[in-house]
């Protein structure tokens, strides 16, 4: 049997063009008519559901950008830009239908969505149609993972999870955190996991819980936080639930900080907090008080545009506060226009290719793999030093993932990302090896990093720079050789391999696609849970085999014992085979019946408890069980039937 364990690439933005930290300058664009020529930009956002409020604010940023730049030059001709808006209803079930609607309306590029879950659900639809999508505020890494058609203009959850964990430690001296997220929600579950990992790495302790969709009473969860002695609450969830958590925390007298991710940057939160003593902190993408030229110009223009329309003001929460997601919506639209211009075409594939190199005015900050960042810096007249190259190699050799960061074509440094091997993992992989199971780690990392991690974790082999196709091919190759293959994974790119494997275990912290492709979901999100699954499976098989072996051997011995006694009256010669010296045919039959009833009762505890499993080879297990249950099944009838026969004769019952 082969076991495969997928490793998620943290902070990997698949094909992300520019993770820009600042806004573009507000280009005036052309407001004149472009004749009948139009390019369509899809707006894939929630106007209803849990994320409806945030979705509307993100759309406002896109619509404002469209008012600023309503046309785009393509190959020397001016095209009108038409926004095609659909409501994904904050639902992963409805997201695919909404995405298909945009495809049917022949949009050239898509913007959105607020909410990582719906973006993850829709991503395959856009990729299949060769339509690039630019995420505005969808921060889960799985959105862009293994999808060259999905980009983003925001930071990622691993980053903000780590930032909020460090903030909790540095600002409040927190040692104990209570983490609350919605069950089955990609954004909240993912961000919660990254926060927990970072907080525990800092030496903190965490109590985690998840609430089901539709929850309105959070009093029990807040009380659990109080009982756990939490120094703060971290609750990455939709604003609908956030407002209730804040008001109910205030009612319960919770006087510690409540923190969250980017979704809480909303007037809904301010309204819920108003009049309470609850302290609320969250990460954000944009500060409207930024007095830099581009940001200042954007804020002034956006507020003027917003206040000119009462409906737009209502969609913004009834005030003119500039939401960070509005700024991101603006950025995404302007990025799309730059890509369309660079492509010189309305074709989705051409726009996708152009997005990899799109820039616009503002502070340009990029991060990525060393090779791509070297090419990017050199092509733009920058310098890539041997010191940087040496640092990258050193990190890779130590089992880390190097990410090179550049600002305005100048290398700033290298980020060292290190996957922490959980305690006891190496020993568990050794247990799998004793079972005769080969373990293979699959990762998108470079071979040097993969080799270092594989050695540290104690796996037998690894596949580096793996693609979804590569994972699928490896599993099929092993299956074609007669091996049974088990697979664990958590990413969308793991889904095809999980579907192909004989046994597939998806992580609870993973994407919906991975969960649907797996045979089962591990609520603890531990890859080593596969060991327990194999152990339980083998124990069940061994128990069934042992009971069957004993039963067959028992029947053979039982009938060999009583048949001579049963028929020796008719055939006196059979008395020579009555080696047990049973008294009579009657006593032989009664003894066998009584023995049969008693042995079934005696085997019930064994069937319930199961045969004890040991991490030894299959050959040794078979020999051991044949010796105990095969030989035992042959001997037991002779002993116990004779004893029962003697008792029956003693009491004159036969």
């Amino acid at each position: 049997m082969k076991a495969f364990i997928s490793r998620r690439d943290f902070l990997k933005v698949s094909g992300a063009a520019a993770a820009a930290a600042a806004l573009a300058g507000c280009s005036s664009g052309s407001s004149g008519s472009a004749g009948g020529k139009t390019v369509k930009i899809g707006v894939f956002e929630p106007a209803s559901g849990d994320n409806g409020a945030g979705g509307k604010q993100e759309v406002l940023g896109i619509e404002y950008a469209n008012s600023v730049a309503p046309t785009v030059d393509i190959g020397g001709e001016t095209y009108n830009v038409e926004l095609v808006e659909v409501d994904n209803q904050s639902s992963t079930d409805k997201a695919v239908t909404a995405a298909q609607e945009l495809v049917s309306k022949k949009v050239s590029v898509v913007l959105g969505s607020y909410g990582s879950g719906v973006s993850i659900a829709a991503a395959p639809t856009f990729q299949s149609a060769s339509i690039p999508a630019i995420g505005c505020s969808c921060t889960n890494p799985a959105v862009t993972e293994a999808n060259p058609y999905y980009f983003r203009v925001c930071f990622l959850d691993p980053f903000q999870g780590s930032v909020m964990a460090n903030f909790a430690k540095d600002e409040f001296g927190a040692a104990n955190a209570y983490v609350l997220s919605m069950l089955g929600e990609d954004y909240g579950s993912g961000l919660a996991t990254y926060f927990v990992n970072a907080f525990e790495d800092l030496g903190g302790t965490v109590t985690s819980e998840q609430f089901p969709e539709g929850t309105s009473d959070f009093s029990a969860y807040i009380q659990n936080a109080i009982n756990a002695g939490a120094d703060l609450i971290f609750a990455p969830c939709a604003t609908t639930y956030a407002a209730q958590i804040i008001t109910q925390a205030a009612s319960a007298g919770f006087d510690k900080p409540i923190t969250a991710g980017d979704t809480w940057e909303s007037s809904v939160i301010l309204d819920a907090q108003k009049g309470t003593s609850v302290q609320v902190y969250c990460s954000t993408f944009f500060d409207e008080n930024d007095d830099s030229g581009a940001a200042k110009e954007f804020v002034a223009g956006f507020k003027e545009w917003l206040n000119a329309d009462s409906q737009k003001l209502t969609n913004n929460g009834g005030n003119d506060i500039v939401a960070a997601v509005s700024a991101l919506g603006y950025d995404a639209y302007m990025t799309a226009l730059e890509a369309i211009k660079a492509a010189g075409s309305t074709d989705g594939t051409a726009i996708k290719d152009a997005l990899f190199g799109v820039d616009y005015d503002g502070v340009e900050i990029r991060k990525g793999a060393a090779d791509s960042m070297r090419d990017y810096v050199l092509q733009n007249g920058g310098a890539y030093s041997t010191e940087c190259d040496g640092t990258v190699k050193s990190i890779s050799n130590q089992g880390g993932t190097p990410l090179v960061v550049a600002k305005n074509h100048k290398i700033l440094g290298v980020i060292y990302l290190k996957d922490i091997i959980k305690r006891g993992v190496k020993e568990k992989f050794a247990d799998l090896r004793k079972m005769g199971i080969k373990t293979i780690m699959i990762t998108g990392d470079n071979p040097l990093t993969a080799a270092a991690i594989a050695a540290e974790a104690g796996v037998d082999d690894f596949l580096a720079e793996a693609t979804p196709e590569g994972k699928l091919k490896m599993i099929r190759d092993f299956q074609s050789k007669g091996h049974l293959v088990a697979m664990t994974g958590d990413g969308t790119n793991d889904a095809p391999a999980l579907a192909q494997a004989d046994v597939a275990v998806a992580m609870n912290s993973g994407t919906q696609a991975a969960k649907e492709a797996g045979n089962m979901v591990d609520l603890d999100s531990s890859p080593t849970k596969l060991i327990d699954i194999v152990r339980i499976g083998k124990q069940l098989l061994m128990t069934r085999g042992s009971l069957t072996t004993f039963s067959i051997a028992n029947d053979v011995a039982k009938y060999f014992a009583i048949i001579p006694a049963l028929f020796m009256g008719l055939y006196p010669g059979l008395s020579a085979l009555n080696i047990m010296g049973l008294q009579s045919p009657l006593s032989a039959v009664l003894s066998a019946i009584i023995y049969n009833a008693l042995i079934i009762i005696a085997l019930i505890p064994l069937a319930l408890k199961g045969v004890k499993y040991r991490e030894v080879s299959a050959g040794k297990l078979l020999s051991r069980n044949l010796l105990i249950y095969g030989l035992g099944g042959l001997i037991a009838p002779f002993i116990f039937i004779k004893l029962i026969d003697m008792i029956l004769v003693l009491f004159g019952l036969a």
Side-chain angles (χ1 to χ4, degrees), residues 104-247:
S104 68
K105 292 182 177 179
K106 301 187 183 305
V107 300
S108 296
V109 62
V110 172
L111 308 179
S113 172
Y114 187 103
S116 294
V118 291
S119 299
I120 293 169
T125 300
F126 297 138
Q127 184 176 8
S128 298
S130 299
I131 298 174
I134 303 173
C136 306
S137 61
C138 43
T139 53
N140 191 303
V143 173
T144 57
E145 193 173 55
N147 188 341
Y149 278 85
Y150 226 119
F151 301 76
R152 74 176 99 218
V153 294
C154 58
F155 52 60
L156 276 70
D157 287 336
F159 171 76
Q160 69 168 329
S162 178
V163 167
M164 293 308 293
N166 279 278
F167 178 75
K169 274 286 188 182
D170 297 341
E171 187 71 17
F172 308 115
N176 188 5
Y178 178 83
V179 178
L180 183 63
S181 60
M182 191 179 90
L183 183 66
E185 201 263 313
D186 290 297
Y187 164 79
S189 298
L191 182 51
T193 299
Y194 296 124
F195 175 89
V196 169
N197 291 340
F199 194 76
E200 289 180 340
D201 287 345
L202 293 169
T205 58
V206 177
T207 302
S208 293
E209 287 192 281
Q210 292 190 307
F211 61 88
E213 185 177 2
T215 298
S216 58
D217 184 1
F218 290 91
S219 57
Y221 297 104
I222 294 165
Q223 189 58 50
N224 289 342
I226 296 172
N227 294 341
D231 297 316
L232 57 80
I233 292 176
F234 182 72
C237 59
T239 54
T240 309
Y241 302 111
Q244 297 173 45
I245 291 171
I246 292 169
T247 55

Side-chain angles (χ1 to χ4, degrees), residues 513-576:
K515 294 176 186 177
E516 290 177 357
N519 300 117
M520 60 192 83
V521 176
D522 176 22
L523 298 179
D524 296 331
S525 298
S526 172
T528 57
K529 190 59 67 68
L530 187 62
I531 299 171
D532 297 324
I533 295 170
V534 172
R535 184 180 286 113
I536 292 169
K538 287 200 171 191
Q539 186 176 21
L540 288 172
L541 188 62
M542 285 169 52
T543 301
R544 183 178 177 183
S546 298
L547 291 174
T548 303
T549 301
F550 183 88
S551 180
I552 293 171
N554 192 72
D555 287 344
V556 170
K558 182 171 60 182
Y559 292 116
F560 182 81
I562 66 172
I563 285 175
L566 193 62
F567 293 102
M568 65 184 179
L570 296 174
Y571 305 100
L574 289 176
S575 60

